[in-house]
Amino acid sequence: MRGPHNLWRLIRTLATMERTGAIGVVLEAMDAPPRLRFAARVMGWPFKWLGLRGDPTLPPATRAITALGPAYVKFGQILSTRPDIVGAELAQQLTMLQDRLPPFATATAKRIVADELEIDVDVTFSEFSEPVAAASIAQVHRARLAATGQEVAVKVLRPGIERAFRKDIDAFHLAAWLIEAIVPFSRRLRPSDVVAHFEGVVDGELDLRLEAASAAEFAANTADDAGMTVPRPNWSLSGRQVMTLDWAEGIGLADLPALDAAGHDRVALGSRVLALFLSHALRDGFFHADMHQGNLKVAASGDLVFYDFGIMGRLDEYTRRVYAEILIGFIRRDYRRVAEVHFEAGYVPADRDIDEFARALRVVGEPIFGMDATGISMARLLAYLFEVTERFGMQTRTELILLQRTMVVVEGVARTLDPHINIWKVARPVVEAYITRNVGPMALARDLGRAARVVARFGPRLPAMVEAALIRQSGPARPPARATHPVWWVLLGAGLALAGLGAGVVLVELL
């Protein structure tokens, strides 16, 4: 489907971005060269009248994205997790991007549920409400199981949403290809990789069985965590287009007057939100990566209720240890150790000066620790840290970027609940507890035990493997095989390279 027919969609997109004023905001956030900004405005202005007007009460970028439809809304939400691409300020704006779409008919939802699960909806459910929430990909209904009387939430994909997303994703791929071809500097941001990442995320969200699996894993990991609840999926009533979860009632974290009226301790809630996030990221390596107020509520019991498991983050065990050592190093203001951790992990090339790097880290940490408790920000620390490590040659690590973006959101939620929260005071016991269990003699003994088990599994094969390795070492060295290519392939490649170079020179002159 990727072809010239997608050009109309791209023209409509550019026209909408120009009409809403978003094009200037986006290019400035991405630090685009002035010539590119000028060229975009010149190309967009003649088509401005074709653009969608959008909601004038919204900021330009969110106004344009919301007007363009579900795929663009979801793409904006995913980009909010990549401040390394769109800039910190625009990423923060995009975190507030909300799905502003009307619900589809309940009768249609029932038909989808009946077809997907092969059931009679009116027999399986004694109650099935009108939509209680509608988003870009799906909407939610409150229902009651006829057999047990249990209340459940039934999430149903929008009809035709997969085809609609495929159409827009094809246009995104074309746009990424054009951007990389016309604007060489953009390749460092890897537009094609960003679109491929978005496509992977959407593929997961368009199959509600995968979201149900995330909910089940998150619930299992946090089953013993005090002060939180995760609705569990009902697998017998879930499929690709339908997901059924336990119903969990609560007050939204954004509704501060209601929280106060219900007698909830907002200071304790703020600390708990932050501590739980850090615990999940470090202990489990699997964390909720979209912890804004809309996905968190407070039950009557005082427990935090987590919703929407479409965007989850995952950290491998080694990365968790590195992250924890970096955090504890900053908390203790041991910048030399923070520098050593970066070099040991291979985040910073070994040919860089470790003392210079430690000095740069001190520049990051000291101003933050000189602030009042209300100004200390772990998210700001991580943002500054990424700036420094990038200058010293560290490659972008998507999993850490997602962690930092989630940290920004979590801090915002915590400060909304308690404006005077001391981030480091809350974080320190969580990080130190993880360090105690996972860095030091206990961790070494556990790692050696795991290594021994791996070796034991290969025990019967070890003699033969050693013998084969020794034979290879003692045998004569063989010259590497030389690949042969037909002459016409070489000539074709040279011709394409020359054509590409000529087109590049022309584009540079035009820009």
Side-chain angles (χ1 to χ4, degrees):
M1 291 178 66
R2 297 173 198 172
H5 62 279
N6 286 310
L7 286 174
W8 167 247
R9 184 60 166 156
L10 296 183
I11 291 172
R12 190 73 182 273
T13 299
L14 182 61
T16 300
M17 298 283 282
E18 175 65 26
R19 182 172 183 178
T20 58
I23 189 68
V25 173
V26 171
L27 291 177
E28 182 178 355
M30 297 180 68
D31 197 25
R35 289 181 301 173
L36 177 59
R37 300 184 198 183
F38 176 75
R41 301 301 297 272
V42 169
M43 288 188 294
W45 182 82
F47 302 101
K48 183 177 179 179
W49 62 278
L50 292 173
L52 301 169
R53 183 171 179 269
D55 184 350
T57 64
L58 296 174
T62 52
R63 175 183 173 184
I65 290 171
T66 303
L68 286 165
Y72 288 81
V73 170
K74 183 56 64 177
F75 192 47
Q77 291 170 343
I78 298 300
L79 283 179
S80 73
T81 69
R82 299 300 304 272
D84 58 316
I85 293 173
V86 298
E89 185 176 347
L90 183 56
Q92 182 63 27
Q93 289 182 29
L94 294 178
T95 62
M96 307 307 293
L97 191 66
Q98 300 295 322
D99 296 308
R100 296 169 178 264
L101 296 169
F104 56 93
T106 301
T108 303
K110 286 185 174 183
R111 177 180 54 77
I112 294 173
V113 172
D115 292 344
E116 177 71 21
L117 304 180
E118 298 181 350
I119 61 172
D120 185 327
V121 175
D122 294 328
V123 171
T124 303
F125 301 102
S126 58
E127 298 175 15
F128 197 95
S129 76
E130 294 296 313
V132 295
S136 57
I137 287 181
Q139 68 185 30
V140 178
H141 299 261
R142 186 172 185 170
R144 187 181 299 276
L145 298 179
T148 63
Q150 179 189 1
E151 281 195 300
V152 293
V154 182
K155 187 172 185 177
V156 186
L157 286 185
R158 286 183 173 274
I161 191 65
E162 187 167 1
R163 186 173 183 277
F165 264 77
R166 290 281 163 244
K167 182 179 178 181
D168 281 336
I169 289 173
D170 287 340
F172 293 163
H173 277 291
L174 178 60
W177 179 81
L178 289 172
I179 290 170
E180 289 181 350
I182 297 174
V183 190
F185 91 92
S186 69
R187 292 170 193 162
R188 68 180 178 84
L189 299 175
R190 304 194 299 273
S192 293
D193 290 347
V194 172
V195 175
H197 170 67
F198 169 67
E199 186 173 13
V201 172
V202 169
D203 283 344
E205 293 204 47
L206 290 175
D207 186 345
L208 292 180
R209 293 171 298 186
L210 298 178
E211 184 176 342
S214 294
E217 182 179 357
F218 192 58
N221 289 345
T222 61
D224 296 328
D225 289 354
M228 67 169 289
T229 300
V230 178
R232 293 179 179 271
N234 183 324
W235 286 104
S236 64
L237 293 175
S238 297
R240 182 179 179 83
Q241 298 183 80
V242 178
M243 178 177 66
T244 303
L245 296 164
D246 296 341
W247 181 265
E249 192 66 68
I251 301 171
L253 286 192
D255 194 348
L256 301 184
L259 291 175
D260 293 336
H264 295 298
D265 185 344
R266 287 201 278 125
V267 173
L269 285 173
S271 297
R272 196 188 315 160
V273 167
L274 180 60
L276 285 172
F277 163 71
L278 287 172
S279 178
H280 300 158
L282 292 175
R283 182 194 66 200
D284 306 325
F286 188 65
F287 58 94
H288 197 300
D290 200 17
M291 285 179 61
H292 58 76
Q293 285 97 331
N295 287 337
L296 292 169
K297 292 186 178 182
V298 183
S301 63
D303 285 358
L304 282 170
V305 184
F306 287 71
Y307 297 91
D308 195 348
F309 308 97
I311 303 177
M312 305 294 290
R314 196 179 290 276
L315 299 174
D316 63 67
E317 187 168 355
Y318 184 72
T319 300
R320 281 181 268 158
R321 292 187 187 183
V322 170
Y323 175 60
E325 286 212 71
I326 290 172
L327 284 182
I328 202 67
F330 273 110
I331 289 173
R332 295 171 178 171
R333 301 166 89 163
D334 186 352
Y335 302 109
R336 174 75 185 192
R337 179 56 191 153
V338 177
E340 290 171 351
V341 170
H342 278 82
F343 278 80
E344 291 167 4
Y347 288 177
V348 176
D351 60 351
R352 302 305 171 97
D353 189 317
I354 191 170
D355 292 319
E356 284 296 315
F357 185 53
R359 186 172 67 168
L361 293 175
R362 185 176 295 276
V363 173
V364 171
E366 289 301 308
I368 292 177
F369 283 103
M371 297 177 181
D372 178 74
T374 58
I376 294 175
S377 168
M378 192 181 301
R380 188 181 298 118
L381 169 68
L382 291 175
Y384 292 163
L385 177 62
F386 291 153
E387 290 180 15
V388 170
T389 52
E390 186 178 0
R391 292 205 305 270
F392 279 80
M394 174 177 166
Q395 295 296 313
T396 298
R397 298 181 63 86
T398 305
E399 71 276 16
L400 292 181
I401 291 293
L402 180 59
L403 184 73
Q404 187 260 341
R405 178 264 179 184
T406 309
M407 191 75 249
V408 171
V409 176
V410 171
E411 276 193 14
V413 173
R415 290 195 189 281
T416 300
L417 294 166
D418 176 17
H420 304 291
I421 189 171
N422 186 325
I423 299 296
W424 290 119
K425 185 177 179 180
V426 176
R428 183 165 189 154
V430 178
V431 179
E432 287 185 337
Y434 175 83
I435 291 286
T436 300
R437 291 191 304 269
N438 296 278
V439 180
M442 292 174 58
L444 177 60
R446 190 164 57 249
D447 291 344
L448 289 175
R450 291 175 182 172
R453 286 195 296 271
V454 171
V455 173
R457 287 201 300 270
F458 285 88
R461 298 176 56 192
L462 281 178
M465 293 168 67
V466 171
E467 183 180 12
L470 290 173
I471 291 173
R472 285 196 301 270
Q473 289 294 325
S474 60
R478 296 181 179 180
R482 298 180 60 186
T484 58
H485 301 283
V487 175
W488 67 273
W489 269 111
V490 177
L491 293 175
L492 177 60
L496 290 173
L498 288 173
L501 179 62
V505 171
V506 172
L507 287 170
V508 168
E509 292 298 322
L510 290 174
L511 292 175

